[in-house]
Amino acid sequence: VFANDTSGRFERYKLLIKENKVVEGNLSQSFSLPSQPEGCVVDTHTNTAYLGEEATGIWALDISSTDNTPTFISAITPPVEADVEGLALFIVDDKKYLIASSQGNNSYAIYHIHEENPETLTLMGLIKIAADKAKQIDGVSETDGLEATNANLGGAFTEGLWVVQDGRNVLPSQKQNFKLVAGTTLKNAIRDLVNRQD
C-alpha cells in the first residue's frame, strides 16, 4: 500500500492480515517527490507504480525492489493542463492505457503504456465527460480523483466502469459528487483517439 501527504512524501507499507483479522502495516520504503503528489496507481503485472505530481507530471517506480527510486516520465505539456489529479489503468483491445485527470481544462489525458517498457508513455489525446441534458446530468469538471476497472460488473457495466469525482455540479447546482461511465463508452472514446493517430 502507498500513502502520501502534501509535502511530496510517499510511504510504502506491507500489510499483514493476522489470524484474528487484525491488519498490521510495516513500513518498507519511503521517498519524496519534489512537490505535492496527487494520484497513484500500481500495475501489478509489470510491477510499476505511476505517481502523479500535481503541477509537474507523472513519475514511475519499479516496485520489484524497495531500493528503487521514482523516475520522471511525463511532464505536463499542452494539451494537458495542471493539475494532474488522479490516475487509473484501463485496457482496450489488449493495450494498456493510463488515464490522468487534466484538471486545468476539465479533461482526461489518455496515455498508451508501452508493454515492453512500462515507463514509456505516449499521449494519445484528451477526452471529456460532457453533459447529458436529456437525463439532466451535468458534465464533469475539476476532477480530483478517478478509478477504472475492466471487470464485468453486470448491467450497464459488463465491459467495466470508470468512476470520476466531479468537483462542481450545475444540473442542478449542488455539491461535488461522482459520475459513473460505462466501460463501453470509455473504450469507444479511447478507440477514437487511437484511430486519429493512425
Side-chain angles (χ1 to χ4, degrees):
V1 173
F2 287 89
N4 66 267
D5 65 23
T6 56
S7 70
R9 180 177 173 81
F10 275 84
E11 291 185 346
R12 178 180 176 185
Y13 289 86
K14 181 176 182 179
L15 300 185
L16 302 173
I17 303 175
K18 298 186 173 183
E19 290 182 12
N20 58 4
K21 298 185 180 179
V22 171
V23 178
E24 181 181 282
N26 295 314
L27 181 65
S28 60
Q29 184 180 14
S30 61
F31 57 89
S32 291
L33 298 185
S35 65
Q36 181 170 342
E38 186 93 25
C40 172
V41 65
V42 176
D43 185 342
T44 56
H45 292 98
T46 63
N47 285 322
T48 306
Y50 296 96
L51 316 168
E53 185 183 2
E54 273 195 353
T56 307
I58 301 170
W59 297 71
L61 173 67
D62 179 352
I63 63 169
S64 60
S65 168
T66 55
D67 295 325
N68 294 332
T69 57
T71 301
F72 190 65
I73 60 170
S74 183
I76 295 174
T77 56
V80 181
E81 293 185 14
D83 291 340
V84 171
E85 291 277 350
L87 300 174
L89 299 172
F90 198 69
I91 297 171
V92 181
D93 301 326
D94 297 321
K95 292 184 179 178
K96 195 171 296 178
Y97 297 89
L98 178 68
I99 306 169
S101 171
S102 175
Q103 193 185 58
N105 53 13
N106 302 318
S107 301
Y108 305 91
I110 307 298
Y111 297 91
H112 174 233
I113 299 173
H114 296 260
E115 196 65 32
E116 65 282 359
N117 183 2
E119 295 187 1
T120 300
L121 303 178
T122 299
L123 177 64
M124 306 306 294
L126 300 180
I127 61 176
K128 290 190 174 192
I129 300 175
D132 185 336
K133 294 181 181 178
K135 294 181 180 178
Q136 292 194 326
I137 300 174
D138 71 328
V140 178
S141 55
E142 298 178 359
T143 295
D144 280 319
L146 55 89
E147 184 57 280
T149 178
N150 285 94
N152 180 348
L153 301 179
F157 307 113
T158 56
E159 292 192 75
L161 172 65
W162 182 27
V163 181
V164 297
Q165 184 266 345
D166 183 7
R168 182 177 64 244
N169 284 290
V170 295
L171 285 173
S173 180
Q174 294 178 338
K175 295 180 180 179
Q176 71 89 34
N177 65 5
F178 296 87
K179 298 298 193 300
L180 309 182
V181 178
T184 305
T185 302
L186 178 57
K187 284 182 180 181
N188 289 337
I190 293 174
R191 286 179 181 130
D192 286 346
L193 290 180
V194 172
N195 290 337
R196 288 180 213 163
Q197 302 286 324
D198 294 340

